[in-house]
Amino acid sequence: MNGMARPPAKDAATTVAALFSRALAQFEDPAKRSLLRRHAWQVGPWRIEQRHLGPSLEDLFYPAWAHLPDPGTESGEARDLVVYCADVQASGLDLGPLPWRAGETANQGIVAGLDNSDYRALWDQQGYAVHLFDRRRGIAIYAVRSRNDFRSWERSLPLRSILHWWTAARGGQLLHAGAVGTAEGGALLLGASGAGKSTTTLACLANGLAIGGDDFVLVEPAGSDAVIHSVSTTAKLSRAALLRFPHLAAAAANPQEAEPEKALFFLDRFTPSPLVAAMPLKALLMLNRGPQRDTVIEPVNPAAALQASAPNTLFMLPGDRAGAFAKIARIFRTHPCFRIDLGYDLPQIPQRI
């Protein structure tokens, strides 16, 4: 991962398969297997297990997942997805020379030429990280050069790309959205950065509404009986927006970081925890921050709502955008859509919802 000589060119699937096999053999080598640290999470009906080669990345990964049920890590139990994770420098994992030069991957570092194969791959050149996924076996690998290269934004939902690839094959869809409601039903909060998703989510804390997520949620299946599944306990606020929630400042997990880094919160640490693991999807809310005092909600055309909201999610997820758009479009077609113009009187927001 340090600019070593590039091997001879091969087709993309063969190249990724070889890289995958090389890494997996080291994770499962008897000499290193005892070093694997196993953690399991339940997301909806699915069981996910992470196997870390050493402890280096654990504190960066697990706070975001801590609210999810733990089905245990007993050997022999079936797993829907197994993700091997490593800090290369700390663990000694040897990936060999990476087979891609700068400019040979598509947008977001996606490795092209894998559409008709069992593999998906992403090379984050700036973050010195490789994401590999074998969808036939339900196995993934995440390797980063060192914990110091771990992207700060990844703390809100680690392994986002791998989760996207994995859920896509199961009819689910990751959405860049918040979710609030009750166990009986919830609403998705949609909008571009700065639209007010986190403000709305945290405003609901004081009104007894549960929270399914602040930044990303999983919707499954993408139809009229869709369910919102929580995938992360984190919430983020810009430092300017945090001024509207002075009582939350002491709960920020990164108080030492200044703009442009957002204040990070782990909602499962609040008492009582506002998080709910799942809620039936009842409505979609397109957020718009306004200068007025009062918050107003009105119905909108699903097609217009889709056009305004879908690109935000598609831009942040790697690959298969046509398939993702089709599932997102079905969600919009089968659920009522509303526009919510957010006023500056915070208590009104959850009342209107």
Side-chain angles (χ1 to χ4, degrees):
M1 302 180 73
N2 293 303
M4 298 175 65
R6 181 171 177 260
K10 300 177 182 178
D11 73 86
T14 300
T15 298
V16 171
L19 180 60
F20 196 102
S21 296
R22 179 187 179 97
L24 185 60
Q26 294 175 68
F27 279 107
E28 289 295 344
D29 185 283
K32 291 187 176 182
R33 193 178 300 166
S34 62
L35 302 177
L36 288 179
R37 302 163 69 93
R38 300 167 185 259
H39 302 264
W41 316 110
Q42 184 91 25
V43 179
W46 301 304
R47 294 184 176 188
I48 302 172
E49 183 173 316
Q50 294 179 34
R51 299 177 182 174
H52 282 247
L53 192 57
S56 176
L57 301 177
E58 287 180 322
D59 63 312
L60 301 177
F61 273 69
Y62 296 126
W65 298 65
H67 67 302
L68 296 174
D70 180 357
T73 57
E74 291 79 6
S75 60
E77 281 197 24
R79 296 284 181 255
D80 297 292
L81 174 66
V82 175
V83 187
Y84 293 85
C85 306
D87 171 336
V88 169
Q89 290 182 0
S91 68
L93 181 73
D94 180 12
L95 293 176
L98 293 183
W100 311 290
R101 288 195 181 112
E104 290 187 339
T105 53
N107 293 336
Q108 300 171 299
I110 301 166
V111 175
L114 298 173
D115 289 348
N116 297 319
S117 77
D118 289 324
Y119 292 98
R120 297 291 180 267
L122 183 151
W123 176 34
D124 180 355
Q125 300 173 46
Q126 294 179 329
Y128 301 100
V130 175
H131 309 241
L132 306 173
F133 177 54
D134 180 342
R135 59 180 180 177
R136 180 179 60 83
R137 292 186 290 174
I139 301 175
I141 293 171
Y142 170 85
V144 64
R145 183 174 65 177
S146 78
R147 65 174 283 123
N148 294 328
D149 296 305
F150 189 81
R151 304 279 204 143
S152 59
W153 54 261
E154 285 189 281
R155 293 185 69 189
S156 63
L157 181 56
L159 307 177
R160 185 174 75 196
S161 297
I162 290 171
L163 288 173
H164 166 59
W165 292 327
W166 171 69
T167 57
R170 286 159 176 78
Q173 180 62 50
L174 279 180
L175 286 174
H176 184 218
V180 298
T182 70
E184 286 71 43
L188 289 175
L189 309 176
L190 297 147
S193 179
K197 293 190 298 296
S198 295
T199 296
T200 301
T201 298
L202 294 175
C204 290
L205 282 174
N207 199 260
L209 288 179
I211 296 173
D214 169 71
D215 193 36
F216 271 88
V217 295
L218 170 62
V219 177
E220 176 277 328
S224 57
D225 296 323
V227 176
I228 303 168
H229 294 294
S230 178
V231 291
S232 175
T233 180
T234 55
K236 297 185 294 184
L237 274 177
S238 69
R239 301 292 167 169
L242 184 59
L243 297 177
R244 305 181 69 189
F245 299 90
H247 60 292
L248 295 181
N254 57 343
Q256 74 284 357
E257 295 181 353
E259 295 281 10
E261 294 295 334
K262 293 184 177 182
L264 182 69
F265 302 91
F266 297 111
L267 299 177
D268 63 310
R269 299 177 184 176
F270 289 33
T271 304
S273 172
L275 289 162
V276 60
M279 58 178 78
L281 174 58
K282 298 297 185 183
L284 296 91
L285 305 180
M286 315 301 116
L287 304 186
N288 179 58
R289 191 192 302 274
Q292 74 285 350
R293 176 180 183 276
D294 295 332
T295 291
V296 178
I297 297 182
E298 59 183 17
V300 294
N301 180 276
L306 173 66
Q307 185 176 15
S309 301
N312 190 43
T313 288
L314 297 176
F315 175 76
M316 300 184 75
L317 296 175
D320 192 25
R321 289 180 172 171
F325 181 81
K327 284 185 285 187
I328 294 171
R330 186 179 177 198
I331 295 172
F332 278 76
R333 288 197 305 269
T334 53
H335 295 84
C337 300
F338 299 86
R339 172 189 170 99
I340 174 169
D341 293 316
L342 301 171
Y344 61 77
D345 183 15
L346 290 178
Q348 279 194 28
I349 295 174
Q351 292 169 7
R352 295 291 188 269
I353 292 176

